[in-house]
Amino acid sequence: MAVSASILKRIESLRAQLREHDYRYYVLAQPTISDQEYDRLMRELLDLEEAHPATISPDSPSQRVGGQPTKEFQTITHAAPMLSLSNTYNEDEVRDFDRRVRSVLGQEQFRYVSELKFDGVAVSLLFKDGLFVRGATRGDGTQGDDITQNLRTVRSIPLRVMGKKKGLEEFEVRGEIYMRREDFRRMNTDREHAGEKLFINPRNSAAGTLKLQDPKIVSGRPLNFVAYYLRSSARGLVGHYENLKILRDLGFPVSEHSKVCKNVESVIEYWKNWENRRDSLPYDIDGVVVKVDSLAQQTQLGMIAKSPRWAIAFKFAARQETTILREIKLQVGRIGTITPVAELDPVFVGGSTVSRATLHNEDYIKELDIRPGDTVVVEKGGDVIPKVSSVVKEKRPSGTRPFTMPNKCPECGSRISRPEEEANSYCENSECPAQIRARIEHFAHRGAMDIEGLGEAVVDQLVSQGFVHNYADLYELHKRKSELVNLERWGEKSVDNLLAAIEASKRRPFNRVLFALGIRHVGASVAQLLVNHFRTMDALMSASHDDLQTVQGVGPQIADSVQRFLEDRHNSKIVDKLRKAGLRFEEKLPRVVKQSPFSGKTVVLTGTLTAFGREEAKQKIEELGGHVSSSVSGKTDVVVVGADAGSKLEKAKKLGVRIVDEDEFSRLIRSSGSR
Ligand code: IVH
């Protein structure tokens, strides 16, 4: 049956609109219509295509998930080998690279382009007459797998390019498939709930997904693409940086962070800057890539072995290494929480040597089946606490045994119990010396009472020698100065210093004192919320469960815990002693009740703010009567957006939440009279 011209026109118009909206959503991250409107357009197109199957073309936005599951991928041969880059790890090595470049180019002028090195999977995309015709993995560099059907499901890869560029009838785009950290986490949480196997990190997860034989499953995974290389025989292409611009104009996602660098010093500066800022990006990078810009000079430089001489990877210190786990020890926390800790053969990861790493809890160890003697992968995340993220099972020696949680506390021999529905196990003895030490260490640490010189070793000594039994005893230590001076490793001077530091801690504000008490679930920010609201310890102690919950950010769990702590006779005695010692149990400053644009508002911060640190911005908002939350939801009033904002910004747009950029944020703060 012939299709009428008007229907054809409508179909073409729907396709064009959907393409445009895909581009706005997936490439620019600036959608202009709601999901429902998008779905309506797609539905209409699907209906028309079903009624007129002859009109269906492979580049229709409805045809992303067309292919049937395959048994194995076809092998393809790359038209030009996909080279890998040689790696450098420090400034000297990069200067060597620069010297080699200059020795070939002689006196010629040249410039570099510095880019982020995306930690994903390299792919090659072929385009003919504006259409995406084949996608492949790098493979061994010469031959790879044909994964076209999987790549078609990646929404940021255009099935048809935008506009036309002369001479570009046929070209190849290379780039990286990656997953954003937040998407990765969400996906893993879903998998956990569904009882499926977890992925280790975003890169493994992207790589694993591309290997799937069923494009339908691939289409449900949050894959992204970023283009970083254009290969074409078209005349008139002169430089890499301009090629990136051409790719952007054709509708490909291209990083905004690529930068022209005049010399190696500015390359090094770029590298340092991103090493510091990498955690502010929504995806993982493992270094930067430096390329000579001019294509003619690239040809002149040529290649050595399997790498070009015109480009180099300048990596960040690794954050993942393998080493041997010797032993699993148990650490007892201040409320008795037992944390299993891995004792490792020391290994250099992410700029420092690691010899211990957390194993979280019993379930985590069982899930990964971690055993003493195993070779394990140690990872240092953005939060710097090293963790064991997987086991290299192939390297497991014979005779290892699976881990079982002991039933006695290694420190005091009391029973260890694990409450139902909890992942943690606890030592039941609140007088356990390990718990006592942990409570005192927490009390003295920098974010709490900040008592200089009162670290792990000193606390251990004071507790084991019977000088202190709880943190209130610290304030009576001065009475026993002559005994202290005679302790091993101590003298007049060091004792004086310690006593002075303890004395100085009496001046810490109430919120720090409240945090230092070590009430379960009361971290530094909850302590601040409670102090803002109740002002004095007496008011806090007489607050009912409901009173406590009227504080924004305090739920039943925190309320329970605060009440249980304060009602305990032993604890109230200690609090009394602290009061008598002169610690602050009230906040004298008048409450901020002034009206401001943030009064009573729930605010979410996202992206990198240049003029403020995260903490500082948060403090300002709270000073002005606002509440800062970490995720965007229907309850969010304002989202403050810094550079490189990711999915939170998208969500805010979807929900129609008010969006404020950094300039406006600064103005609002200034107009509210905050410094
Ligand atoms: S350029 C000849 N640019 O790093 C140029 N590669 O060993 C080849 N990569 O396999 C690559 N970000 O997977 C280039 N901005 C970037 C990159 C990048 C990540 C990966 C890519 C490649 C490996 C180099």
Side-chain angles (χ1 to χ4, degrees), residues 81-87 115-123 138 174-176 226-229 240 258 286-289 291 307-308 310-311 313:
M82 283 180 82
L83 304 176
S84 62
L85 299 173
S86 6
N87 292 326
E115 295 175 2
L116 304 184
K117 187 169 187 309
F118 297 89
D119 198 6
V121 182
V123 294
R138 177 172 178 276
R174 292 182 184 172
E176 204 86 348
V226 60
Y228 50 62
Y229 184 69
H240 175 66
S258 300
D286 58 347
V288 304
V289 176
K291 300 171 182 171
S307 318
W310 49 267

Side-chain angles (χ1 to χ4, degrees), residues 402-457:
F403 173 80
T404 46
M405 184 61 97
N407 48 19
K408 287 208 167 70
C409 172
E411 184 81 24
C412 70
S414 305
R415 224 168 68 102
I416 287 181
S417 68
R418 179 171 166 183
E420 243 175 85
E421 303 192 6
E422 270 207 47
N424 287 330
S425 305
Y426 298 89
C427 159
E428 289 181 354
N429 170 21
S430 63
E431 294 296 291
C432 169
Q435 287 190 41
I436 292 173
R437 288 198 305 268
R439 285 195 286 265
I440 299 173
E441 279 164 28
H442 168 77
F443 184 84
H445 92 269
R446 268 186 56 198
M449 300 305 276
D450 193 10
I451 304 176
E452 215 185 309
L454 198 55
E456 210 173 306

Side-chain angles (χ1 to χ4, degrees), residues 68-168:
Q68 289 301 309
T70 46
K71 288 238 160 47
E72 65 185 54
F73 297 119
Q74 300 289 323
T75 301
I76 57 90
T77 302
H78 296 293
M82 283 180 82
L83 304 176
S84 62
L85 299 173
S86 6
N87 292 326
T88 56
Y89 296 91
N90 57 50
E91 297 180 22
D92 288 345
E93 289 172 356
V94 170
R95 290 208 173 85
D96 287 344
F97 161 74
D98 176 58
R99 256 190 295 279
R100 287 196 299 272
V101 168
R102 279 186 286 124
S103 77
V104 174
L105 297 182
Q107 294 303 309
E108 272 180 51
Q109 292 269 347
F110 72 98
R111 59 184 205 172
Y112 292 116
V113 178
S114 300
E115 295 175 2
L116 304 184
K117 187 169 187 309
F118 297 89
D119 198 6
V121 182
V123 294
S124 144
L125 313 176
L126 284 186
F127 283 79
K128 271 197 191 127
D129 300 323
L131 299 184
F132 174 42
V133 292
R134 195 195 74 193
T137 60
R138 177 172 178 276
D140 62 5
T142 311
Q143 294 191 315
D145 286 338
D146 183 335
I147 52 165
T148 313
Q149 297 307 329
N150 285 348
L151 290 174
R152 286 176 60 89
T153 70
V154 177
R155 307 295 203 280
S156 48
I157 295 179
L159 296 179
R160 167 206 283 264
V161 300
M162 290 174 10
K164 274 222 171 74
K165 168 102 184 142
K166 246 185 65 197
L168 277 182

